[in-house]
Amino acid sequence: MADSDADKPLRKISTAFKELAVIVNSPSPEVPVAQFSHACSLVSPLFGCLGIAFKFAEMDYVAKVDDLVRASSSISTLVVMMDKDIEANCVRKPGSHTRNLLRVKRGLDMVKVLFEQIIASEGDNSLKDPATKSYAQVFAPHHGWAIRKAVSLGMYALPTRAHLLNMLKEDEAAAKIHMQSYVNSSAPLITYLDNLFLSKQLGIDW
């Protein structure tokens, strides 16, 4: 069974985020940077599947996740990572691990909303509405006019729902199960990350 699932991104994502949800739902959550960054790296191919509209998101997300993967070799948990940046007074500086974590969190949130919209629009073969809504809700408030315009134009080059499922090597029923699993598991993780930023008075809208 493991071999047949090896090339199915949704299944690997579902499993990895279920494990993270167990951690953040525990009484004293300590999220390892290595486990978190590995789970996030599994999401990267999804952005590539969405074509040119999300090319900017793919490049930015992959770069930020790669930074967290590198950081995991010397930093144990997300809390320790943020505390180090706070101590070094570099939280908001480009390239800081904490700044990159905030960007990665937005990527996870966008995929969550996208999956919610895809599930809700069952029977519609177009991804334009789900993709437009997820972008507008999560990314658009943080982007300038030029990027928003480029994304809007790119929406016309999105794959169809059937093509996306083909790229992900899943049928409709299985994809819905794994997408819902990610939605359920990522929600407490995203809340945990938001609360982490807010508890350290860092804010989440920058």
Side-chain angles (χ1 to χ4, degrees):
M1 184 68 175
D3 289 341
S4 64
D5 287 352
D7 60 347
K8 295 190 174 184
L10 283 181
R11 300 185 186 210
K12 292 192 287 186
I13 291 168
S14 173
T15 299
F17 281 85
K18 276 181 186 174
E19 293 170 356
L20 286 173
V22 170
I23 294 175
V24 298
N25 285 324
S26 66
S28 302
E30 289 286 348
V31 179
V33 180
Q35 186 175 349
F36 175 80
S37 59
H38 172 68
C40 293
S41 71
L42 299 176
V43 176
S44 299
L46 289 175
F47 288 104
C49 291
L50 294 173
I52 194 168
F54 288 90
K55 189 63 181 176
F56 73 97
E58 179 189 14
M59 294 172 64
D60 189 58
Y61 180 86
V62 169
K64 303 300 191 275
V65 170
D66 285 348
D67 172 70
L68 298 183
V69 170
R70 290 191 296 271
S72 72
S73 65
S74 59
I75 302 174
S76 56
T77 68
L78 296 182
V79 172
V80 171
M81 184 179 79
M82 293 178 75
D83 286 344
K84 283 180 178 288
D85 280 352
I86 291 170
E87 187 177 347
N89 196 31
C90 68
V91 168
R92 295 203 177 203
K93 291 182 180 177
S96 84
H97 301 318
T98 301
R99 188 175 187 273
N100 289 344
L101 175 62
L102 183 60
R103 270 54 180 180
V104 169
K105 190 269 297 185
R106 285 184 193 141
L108 299 179
D109 198 9
M110 202 244 27
V111 172
K112 172 180 168 288
V113 178
L114 177 67
F115 283 179
E116 288 173 336
Q117 294 297 324
I118 289 175
I119 292 168
S121 63
E122 189 173 2
D124 185 353
N125 198 35
S126 172
L127 292 180
K128 187 173 183 294
D129 195 44
T132 299
K133 287 180 178 177
S134 59
Y135 175 78
Q137 183 173 323
V138 180
F139 281 145
H142 306 285
H143 289 162
W145 178 86
I147 293 180
R148 294 201 304 271
K149 183 66 175 176
V151 171
S152 177
L153 292 172
M155 290 294 180
Y156 292 95
L158 285 166
T160 62
R161 183 191 193 100
H163 187 202
L164 175 65
L165 296 184
N166 186 51
M167 287 188 283
L168 296 174
K169 301 179 181 177
E170 298 287 0
D171 60 29
E172 180 78 35
K176 185 175 180 180
I177 290 170
H178 298 305
M179 286 181 181
Q180 188 64 57
S181 172
Y182 172 81
V183 168
N184 295 344
S185 299
S186 63
L189 176 64
I190 291 166
T191 298
Y192 167 81
L193 293 172
D194 282 344
N195 289 338
L196 199 55
F197 276 88
L198 295 172
S199 70
K200 296 182 181 296
Q201 286 79 52
L202 298 179
I204 54 175
D205 293 317
W206 49 277

